[in-house]
Amino acid sequence: MPKALILDGADHKDPRVDYIGSLLEEIMAERGWVVESVTLRRLELDSCRGCFGCWVKTPGECVIKDDAIDLLRKQVTSDLVVDLTEVLFGSPSYHTKLFMERGLGSALPFMIKRKGMTQHPLRYECEPMHLMIGVAREIVQGDAELFRRLASRCCPGAVTEVIDSDASDDKVKELLLVLLNEVGVKV
Amino acid sequence: MSRSYTFLIGSPKPSGSTSESLADHLMGRLESEGERVSKVSVRKALASEEAMNDLLDRVQSSDVIVLCFPLYYYTLPAICLEAMTLIRRRYSEKAPTQGLLAIVNQGFPEESHAEQALESCRSFCDHVSIGYIGGLVMPAGGVVNGEPLMKVRGRVRSQIKGLNMAAMDLVNGDPIGSTAAKAMARPPMSPWLYRIIANRNWKRMARKNGTMKQLKDRPYA
């Protein structure tokens, strides 16, 4: 059965993020997915120290031994990863970004040129599909656009959307079905 | 009358960061022009409520915030986003500071990788109603590696020039000019040469750690 990992990266308990997470779980479970939800703010997650230990000391594994290790492993072995996050100045929330940074080891240290830009190749041949959902109380158009561009740079191939937290339940469900369809969950 | 500047060092590294090297150089130039400067580590400030209150107080009493940070995943490190959120929360109406200058350093040799980070800084300024003075990007920051710029010298000649020009813009109360930004963004060496040297360095470090054969391992697969 396909596996999905839902990461709630909201910095504070947010009823709207909770609702979207529960709805995603329900929809995917109905379609035969094994879903695990994790609330990042409840974990012990230290900040990446920029030591590059995950590149040259313990290749592929972060040297900071906290809850990120288990979660990074789960992320790699999932078929779909869903990030639920607030949108802050066009960037993801603190906790979403904190965990994202800890995944530096999923890239290789080497620099290559691709599409005219220097990049790091990915460590794993097969990356999980990625869905990034930003939840915003009032959607500032520039911030939403920036969030989408940033998400697609951080996770190439990711499907991204910003949802207005005041949107009706029906509208949210409709949007989630479209997004899940885009990442390969048959709805 | 001289102005006061608070430099926020946004590197998560405990010490020896390139963000701090760039900040120290600019601070030195501003001090020599009679300006008042101080420096706070965002990482340390987030470690205690007392230290964070000190950071917020300094922001309140400064004319200019200079946010120096490394590019992490095409934008600001998480710790900077958290500090920006706390600044916004304290000053929900309008931050008392007059303006913000962003200084980004990144491992990639192309300046454009930092576009989104600067846009986020600009968005932060809009949210707290302070002026965006400008953004300076140093590509191929690996050549500094936390050393003082005057020690690295030759390779960062253009960055030294850019920061010196930015200091004069700040002293004159002007936005950062395009000449300073261009000098700062000039790669210390050609991108292809930088990639070759960087890749050799990674291999050298792996050899030192005895992990040369494991460099491409997939421990979680």
Side-chain angles (χ1 to χ4, degrees):
Chain A
M1 282 197 288
K3 287 192 287 183
L5 181 64
I6 300 178
L7 303 173
D8 171 356
D11 291 335
H12 305 279
K13 186 170 171 58
D14 183 328
R16 211 55 187 151
V17 173
D18 288 350
Y19 172 73
I20 294 170
S22 307
L23 196 55
L24 280 168
E25 268 185 48
E26 192 185 308
I27 297 169
M28 285 192 281
E30 276 172 9
R31 281 144 184 91
W33 282 66
V34 177
V35 185
E36 183 177 0
S37 293
V38 178
T39 305
L40 296 180
R41 65 180 176 279
R42 290 194 194 132
L43 303 182
E44 191 195 323
L45 288 179
D46 201 352
S47 168
C48 168
R49 297 168 194 155
C51 68
F52 301 116
C54 60
W55 279 352
V56 293
K57 285 186 182 165
T58 52
E61 283 188 273
C62 183
V63 296
I64 305 170
K65 302 301 174 201
D66 59 12
D67 291 340
I69 302 296
D70 188 39
L71 205 51
L72 287 166
R73 190 182 298 277
K74 283 179 182 167
Q75 183 168 257
V76 169
T77 54
S78 293
D79 299 288
L80 172 66
V81 176
V82 183
D83 273 304
L84 288 175
T85 175
E86 292 138 344
V87 180
L88 299 171
F89 322 118
S91 293
S93 68
Y94 169 65
H95 285 93
T96 297
K97 186 71 188 352
L98 196 70
F99 179 62
M100 193 186 281
E101 289 168 7
R102 294 290 300 280
L104 181 68
S106 64
L108 293 172
F110 306 112
M111 288 183 167
I112 55 164
K113 190 178 172 185
R114 189 180 290 157
K115 294 178 184 171
M117 301 282 271
T118 303
Q119 291 178 11
H120 296 290
L122 295 175
R123 182 175 297 276
Y124 297 94
E125 270 172 9
C126 192
E127 289 273 309
M129 281 297 292
H130 220 110
L131 173 58
M132 283 198 91
I133 300 177
V135 182
R137 268 194 195 87
E138 45 180 300
I139 297 182
V140 177
Q141 210 45 52
D143 282 358
E145 179 52 32
L146 177 55
F147 177 80
R148 286 190 193 99
R149 278 190 286 133
L150 189 59
S152 64
R153 281 195 94 161
C154 294
C155 310
V159 172
T160 318
E161 190 51 86
V162 178
I163 297 179
D164 185 342
S165 61
D166 289 332
S168 68
D169 289 358
D170 285 348
K171 198 169 177 187
V172 169
K173 187 170 183 180
E174 194 183 319
L175 191 53
L176 291 182
L177 290 172
V178 172
L179 294 172
L180 287 172
N181 197 38
E182 280 185 52
V183 291
V185 179
K186 284 179 187 162
V187 291
Chain B
M1 196 179 141
S2 71
R3 295 203 295 172
S4 61
Y5 299 76
T6 294
F7 281 70
L8 301 181
I9 308 301
S11 172
K13 274 188 182 176
S15 60
S17 72
T18 298
S19 303
E20 196 161 5
S21 303
L22 299 175
D24 285 345
H25 185 85
L26 183 57
M27 284 172 73
R29 292 298 296 190
L30 289 168
E31 267 185 317
S32 69
E33 294 294 330
E35 303 285 78
R36 288 166 289 137
V37 296
S38 69
K39 185 167 70 174
V40 187
S41 156
V42 173
R43 187 184 65 85
K44 285 182 187 163
L46 283 171
S48 77
E49 202 179 324
E50 191 187 348
M52 182 43 74
N53 281 331
D54 176 56
L55 182 151
L56 295 171
D57 290 344
R58 288 202 208 196
V59 166
Q60 186 164 22
S61 60
S62 300
D63 295 311
V64 177
I65 306 172
V66 184
L67 179 58
C68 305
F69 61 91
L71 193 71
Y72 272 30
Y73 276 81
Y74 302 99
T75 190
L76 298 110
I79 59 168
C80 291
L81 292 171
E82 178 71 342
M84 287 154 79
T85 305
L86 294 172
I87 292 171
R88 183 190 177 190
R89 195 172 300 154
R90 174 162 318 179
Y91 307 110
S92 56
E93 289 301 310
K94 185 186 185 310
T97 306
Q98 292 174 6
L100 178 134
L101 164 65
I103 302 180
V104 194
N105 69 87
Q106 56 173 48
F108 295 120
E110 300 92 3
E111 176 197 5
S112 59
H113 284 283
E115 277 169 5
Q116 276 97 354
L118 294 183
E119 283 182 60
S120 278
C121 291
R122 197 185 283 269
S123 165
F124 166 73
C125 289
D126 289 343
H127 281 284
V128 294
S129 304
I130 64 171
Y132 178 69
I133 299 174
L136 297 171
V137 180
M138 184 192 176
V143 300
V144 176
N145 200 23
E147 296 285 347
L149 294 196
M150 295 312 279
K151 194 174 166 190
V152 186
R153 209 156 191 144
R155 280 187 181 159
V156 291
R157 203 181 299 121
S158 188
Q159 281 66 39
I160 290 172
K161 192 176 153 194
L163 288 170
N164 293 350
M165 285 192 285
M168 292 320 295
D169 289 336
L170 289 168
V171 170
N172 294 328
D174 295 331
I176 300 302
S178 61
T179 325
K182 272 183 193 161
M184 190 74 181
R186 190 173 168 186
M189 62 184 78
S190 69
W192 70 266
L193 181 60
Y194 180 74
R195 284 191 292 271
I196 289 171
I197 293 175
N199 289 343
R200 278 189 186 159
N201 271 341
W202 293 124
K203 285 180 184 169
R204 185 178 53 78
M205 286 164 77
R207 262 193 297 274
K208 197 175 147 192
N209 288 298
T211 56
M212 190 60 192
K213 286 183 181 166
Q214 290 85 46
L215 266 186
K216 293 184 180 178
D217 274 6
R218 293 169 178 160
Y220 303 145

